[in-house]
Amino acid sequence: MSHLLQSTFIPTTPTTLRRRSVFPTAHLRRTHVVESKIREIFMPALSSTMTEGKIISWMKTEGDKLAKGESVVVVESDKADMDVESFYDGYLASIIVPEGSSAPVGSPIALLAESEDEISLAKSKTPTPTSTSTPAAAEAVTEEVSTVAAAVTVTSSSDTGPVKVVSSIHPASEGGKRVVASPYAKKLAKELGLDLRGVVGSGPNGRIVAKDVEAAAGSAPIGVAAAAKPSGGAPVAPAVELGTTVPFTTMQNAVSRNMVESLAVPTFRVGYTITTNALDALYKKVKSKGVTMTALLAKATALALVKHPVVNSSCRDGKSFTYNSSINIAVAVAIDGGLITPVLQDADKVDLYSLSRKWKELVDKARAKQLQPHEYTTGTFTLSNLGMFGVDRFDAILPPGTGAIMAVGASQPTLVGTKDGQIGMKNQMQVNVTADHRVIYGADLAAFLQTLAQIIEDPKDLTL
């Protein structure tokens, strides 16, 4: 669900104090003063941890008419890009914070006029933007504009307020008309070497979405798509200019704050070795039905947490802890420029196949930076899996506000001793759990891991 833009009313006719008349009021004519309405549009708080937002793209230009509930701007929060809707009817009179710039939550990013006649008045009231963009970020924006041969000039006008950077041709425009695309569509188009000006959007109000880019790339000349891909089969790392200092992105800032906050929590770690032969066999049977290993691990973990609710608890104030009523498994996912933890809600109650479908949906939304806050902030227990990279064991940092996180390593063939004294080969994986020691103790984790191992080594309950 898109978020609504918050705005406040700015009266354009000042209220005056009048002295009480000594004459009879019956002979006085009442004068009705009509005030024009110019509203400030604020940077919304799209999550509980968001302190600032970055303007990805304005879906409307200055002077455009807006209807209540209509998408106006795409804002990058600390974890996702979100369409933000207007809370009022009116006209987008003045954009204070341009695309590519950031602003603190609650600061004005644009002005909304009630009528078309008040647009010029709103422009005259445009405040100086409180953008938090760095010079390095500004240089990056300038460089991006120059790559599409846009003539960039700096102009100052008394009608438009502060000095701003303008271009004769917008990077995603044709004939001066803007082409609005989702952030993921823009990224995909850049990777494919596709010019968005020739793509027809199928999204709301003609917005270009990822499937439009993919369709256009499929019908484009071979040379267009091939130009963006190297001839070799090995992946090519993105070009990085060594010796440069790069500012954190909004997401990296959020990750940094969370990691520093986690240092205040006293944690401890417990490891366990689990045999996965039965789980691997089950995975081979259900893989063709769309079931993922992530869903299997999440389901097994959720069923174990049902029997050990203290491991699913959380302490936020240092004085009490909460036995969470739901088992919501957050799973760490690496995305471009950061890390996010989509949440499989009520994982103990949802069947394995529905859980797998939900997981695919969440991953697609995470990579497109379209997750809603409740889809990544409601986890009660976290999984972090590096097994697909061949990592056999590692420790994970406890996310603030949760009781435990489990690091899962790769399942590998291992020589083990059997009960009858023989030597055999079994697939085994290492898991390490990091927990909040204010709430969870060593015996709690040991019991939880024993239950988890029993479920994984005899996984018949996972498909019920």
Side-chain angles (χ1 to χ4, degrees):
M1 178 183 296
S2 299
H3 286 68
L4 296 177
L5 287 172
Q6 299 177 354
S7 60
T8 187
F9 169 65
I10 303 176
T12 56
T13 304
T15 303
T16 57
L17 296 176
R18 299 186 179 185
R19 182 176 300 173
R20 187 183 299 273
S21 175
V22 297
F23 298 101
T25 56
H27 301 287
L28 293 179
R29 296 180 58 189
R30 292 184 178 180
T31 302
H32 295 278
V33 179
V34 179
E35 295 182 347
S36 59
K37 292 182 180 179
I38 299 173
R39 303 178 185 275
E40 287 182 325
I41 300 175
F42 293 119
M43 174 64 72
L46 302 178
S47 71
S48 59
T49 59
M50 178 176 169
T51 58
E52 68 175 22
K54 180 180 179 181
I55 303 296
I56 298 297
S57 65
W58 283 98
M59 303 176 70
K60 299 290 184 179
T61 57
E62 292 184 353
D64 286 352
K65 187 174 183 178
L66 301 178
K68 181 180 178 180
E70 187 176 8
S71 295
V72 181
V73 62
V74 180
V75 173
E76 179 190 48
S77 69
D78 50 3
K79 293 290 184 180
D81 295 347
M82 296 186 184
D83 290 0
V84 182
E85 301 173 351
S86 174
F87 194 72
Y88 298 95
D89 295 331
Y91 292 84
L92 183 59
S94 177
I95 294 176
I96 300 172
V97 181
E99 294 180 358
S101 296
S102 300
V105 168
S107 64
I109 59 175
L111 295 181
L112 184 71
E114 187 177 52
S115 67
E116 195 170 6
D117 296 336
E118 296 163 350
I119 293 178
S120 58
L121 181 61
K123 285 181 178 289
S124 67
K125 294 179 175 294
T126 301
T128 302
T130 56
S131 170
T132 59
S133 294
T134 62
E139 291 174 7
V141 172
T142 304
E143 183 178 353
E144 182 180 354
V145 172
S146 65
T147 59
V148 293
V152 179
T153 57
V154 178
T155 62
S156 177
S157 172
S158 59
D159 294 333
T160 57
V163 176
K164 62 178 181 179
V165 178
V166 298
S167 63
S168 58
I169 303 176
H170 192 276
S173 67
E174 184 174 8
K177 182 180 179 181
R178 293 185 57 187
V179 177
V180 180
S182 70
Y184 183 57
K186 291 180 180 179
K187 178 184 175 184
L188 190 60
K190 185 176 180 181
E191 292 175 350
L192 296 175
L194 196 67
D195 191 347
L196 285 175
R197 289 175 291 182
V199 179
V200 178
S202 62
N205 300 317
R207 188 185 189 196
I208 298 173
V209 293
K211 66 179 181 180
D212 301 324
V213 177
E214 293 170 350
S219 61
I222 295 176
V224 174
K229 297 182 179 180
S231 57
V236 179
V240 176
E241 186 176 349
L242 300 180
T244 58
T245 300
V246 181
F248 279 172
T249 63
T250 306
M251 180 176 289
Q252 288 170 332
N253 272 320
V255 172
S256 176
R257 287 194 303 270
N258 285 341
M259 294 303 96
V260 172
E261 184 180 346
S262 69
L263 294 176
V265 178
T267 59
F268 73 107
R269 296 164 181 82
V270 174
Y272 207 92
T273 301
I274 302 176
T275 300
T276 63
N277 291 72
L279 184 69
D280 295 337
L282 175 61
Y283 178 55
K284 289 180 181 179
K285 291 181 181 179
V286 297
K287 183 179 179 181
S288 61
K289 299 179 182 179
V291 174
T292 64
M293 182 57 76
T294 297
L296 283 168
L297 291 172
K299 184 67 175 180
T301 302
L303 293 180
L305 289 172
V306 170
K307 299 180 180 180
H308 304 277
V310 69
V311 183
N312 191 55
S313 65
S314 57
C315 174
R316 290 179 173 83
D317 58 4
K319 300 177 181 178
S320 62
F321 67 98
T322 302
Y323 286 105
N324 293 301
S325 58
S326 299
I327 296 177
N328 300 334
I329 305 297
V331 185
V333 173
I335 61 176
D336 185 23
L339 179 74
I340 197 167
T341 53
V343 177
L344 290 166
Q345 298 186 10
D346 295 316
D348 58 317
K349 301 174 183 177
V350 179
D351 68 86
L352 182 62
Y353 304 99
S354 299
L355 207 62
S356 294
R357 289 192 294 271
K358 184 62 178 179
W359 177 243
K360 184 181 184 304
E361 175 190 334
L362 289 171
V363 170
D364 289 342
K365 293 177 71 174
R367 288 174 178 164
K369 301 186 73 177
Q370 294 297 315
L371 287 174
Q372 298 299 310
H374 72 275
E375 294 176 317
Y376 62 84
T377 61
T378 55
T380 58
F381 185 96
T382 307
L383 286 180
S384 181
N385 184 8
L386 293 179
M388 70 286 291
F389 300 109
V391 175
D392 58 356
R393 66 175 65 85
F394 68 102
D395 289 331
I397 298 176
L398 181 67
T402 61
I405 179 173
M406 185 166 69
V408 181
S411 177
Q412 298 177 334
T414 307
L415 285 173
V416 297
T418 62
K419 293 181 180 180
D420 57 1
Q422 302 297 315
I423 295 178
M425 184 78 72
K426 291 186 178 181
N427 293 334
Q428 293 186 330
M429 71 177 182
Q430 304 281 340
V431 297
N432 290 321
V433 181
T434 302
D436 185 344
H437 212 335
R438 297 173 300 178
V439 180
I440 304 168
Y441 304 133
D444 299 322
L445 277 192
F448 162 75
L449 289 170
Q450 284 179 338
T451 301
L452 178 65
Q454 292 169 3
I455 294 172
I456 289 177
E457 292 172 3
D458 185 15
K460 60 180 183 299
D461 292 339
L462 298 183
T463 54
L464 296 179

